Amino acid sequence: MNLLVVGAGEMGRWFARTLADGTPDPPAIAFTDADPSVARDAADSFEVVSARAVPTDTDETFDVVAVAVPIPAVESAVERYADRADRALVDVTGVMRRAIDAMAAAGPDLERVSFHPLFAAANAPGNVAVVADAPGPVTDEIRAALADAGNDCFETTAREHDRAMETVQARAHAAVLAFGLAAEPVPDEFQTPVSAVLFDVLETVTGNDPGVYADIQAVFDGAESVADSARAIADADRERFEELYRQAGQERAPALEDTRASDGES
């Protein structure tokens, strides 16, 4: 297998390295990036398998093209590089409806699968959402390599995934960042189990690229509902607060199951 990774950042490198470590016959890897120095650095980080940087206007073809660009660039990257793929077109961009639609339009005769690692590369392995729009032997090999690396690859649909991201990413990030903006410095001896966890999560969220989080907020709804909920809590009298408290603790799984059951996508 020879592989072109479009976007040589954190997740593009993670994807290439996972395939290099997990396939019986490690792929020859090429990186391309809007910043050529980033592509060269990614290639240089591979010592065992063959890896190189190629220009963004390369006319070479590859067995697999993996798109690992920021969310706003998904459609343009897929459209630009789909014809460089001979067998399979995949993405690890974090948004699935847009990626699947773009890949289906640009590569209707290719295997097409969208992967979303639900973690930063430093925290791998973890859960990987998979939408297998047009699977086949090549993408099955990729999926096996991800699983062999210890990842839990679970199938979903683009609609279910993108709706879940409104909560697990957009709402969660908004709530954590809002806490960070509102919080004041507190000596460690005053920390409670709840506040300590929140400050730890805040450190995790704010220790990454803010542009990635901005992309998530731009694509997925959710932050406004967090702001509305915070205002409702701030304005509530005792009786209303207790009602909201109980509501917040209610089990959310049935709602997610209803979403899955009503989703007609494959």
Side-chain angles (χ1 to χ4, degrees), residues 128-161:
V128 179
V130 180
V131 173
D133 189 45
V138 176
T139 51
D140 287 348
E141 184 177 354
I142 292 171
R143 182 167 175 172
L146 297 180
D148 287 347
N151 297 289
D152 179 12
C153 299
F154 66 96
E155 289 206 25
T156 183
T157 67
R159 178 177 179 271
E160 182 182 37
H161 168 273

Side-chain angles (χ1 to χ4, degrees), residues 116-194:
H116 184 191
L118 298 168
F119 48 83
N123 297 326
N127 291 342
V128 179
V130 180
V131 173
D133 189 45
V138 176
T139 51
D140 287 348
E141 184 177 354
I142 292 171
R143 182 167 175 172
L146 297 180
D148 287 347
N151 297 289
D152 179 12
C153 299
F154 66 96
E155 289 206 25
T156 183
T157 67
R159 178 177 179 271
E160 182 182 37
H161 168 273
D162 288 358
R163 183 169 179 181
M165 291 308 103
E166 293 179 358
T167 289
V168 304
Q169 288 195 323
R171 291 187 178 97
H173 299 164
V176 170
L177 292 172
F179 168 75
L181 292 170
E184 297 180 354
V186 177
D188 288 345
E189 57 266 31
F190 286 104
Q191 296 288 359
T192 69
V194 173

Side-chain angles (χ1 to χ4, degrees), residues 9 76 88 92 101 109-110 115 125 139 166 180 208-209 226 228 236 247:
S76 60
V92 287
D101 287 349
D109 298 325
L110 299 170
F115 298 98
T139 51
E166 293 179 358
N208 296 292
D209 180 0
V226 172
D228 291 343
Q247 182 180 338

Side-chain angles (χ1 to χ4, degrees), residues 1-261:
M1 178 193 303
N2 62 342
L3 167 71
L4 173 64
V5 179
V6 181
E10 176 186 359
M11 295 317 297
R13 298 183 194 203
W14 168 84
F15 183 78
R17 191 168 298 280
T18 303
L19 263 60
D21 292 343
T23 50
D25 184 15
I29 300 166
F31 288 99
T32 191
D33 195 278
D35 184 342
S37 67
V38 172
R40 289 193 297 270
D41 181 67
D44 290 344
S45 70
F46 284 74
E47 298 179 354
V48 178
V49 300
S50 172
R52 60 195 173 96
V54 297
T56 55
D57 61 353
T58 180
D59 58 2
E60 293 183 61
T61 59
F62 302 82
D63 294 321
V64 182
V65 170
V67 175
V69 299
I71 289 174
V74 169
E75 289 94 343
S76 60
V78 169
E79 182 178 1
R80 181 173 185 180
Y81 289 98
D83 65 357
R84 308 297 194 276
D86 289 328
R87 302 180 65 187
L89 185 59
V90 303
D91 86 285
V92 287
T93 61
V95 62
M96 286 188 156
R97 180 74 276 159
R98 290 169 59 173
I100 287 293
D101 287 349
M103 290 191 291
D109 298 325
L110 299 170
E111 295 179 34
R112 302 181 305 277
V113 176
S114 182
F115 298 98
H116 184 191
L118 298 168
F119 48 83
N123 297 326
N127 291 342
V128 179
V130 180
V131 173
D133 189 45
V138 176
T139 51
D140 287 348
E141 184 177 354
I142 292 171
R143 182 167 175 172
L146 297 180
D148 287 347
N151 297 289
D152 179 12
C153 299
F154 66 96
E155 289 206 25
T156 183
T157 67
R159 178 177 179 271
E160 182 182 37
H161 168 273
D162 288 358
R163 183 169 179 181
M165 291 308 103
E166 293 179 358
T167 289
V168 304
Q169 288 195 323
R171 291 187 178 97
H173 299 164
V176 170
L177 292 172
F179 168 75
L181 292 170
E184 297 180 354
V186 177
D188 288 345
E189 57 266 31
F190 286 104
Q191 296 288 359
T192 69
V194 173
S195 68
V197 169
L198 280 172
F199 277 110
D200 285 345
V201 174
L202 177 65
E203 183 176 355
T204 297
V205 170
T206 57
N208 296 292
D209 180 0
V212 173
Y213 290 82
D215 290 343
I216 289 168
Q217 292 298 331
V219 171
F220 299 116
D221 294 332
E224 286 294 335
S225 62
V226 172
D228 291 343
S229 297
R231 176 50 55 195
I233 291 170
D235 291 344
D237 59 18
R238 182 182 181 87
E239 182 179 357
R240 177 56 177 159
F241 178 89
E242 292 183 1
E243 180 183 345
L244 292 170
Y245 179 94
R246 288 190 292 269
Q247 182 180 338
Q250 290 175 351
E251 178 58 54
R252 298 299 180 183
L256 294 177
E257 290 298 329
D258 290 345
T259 299
R260 184 178 291 110

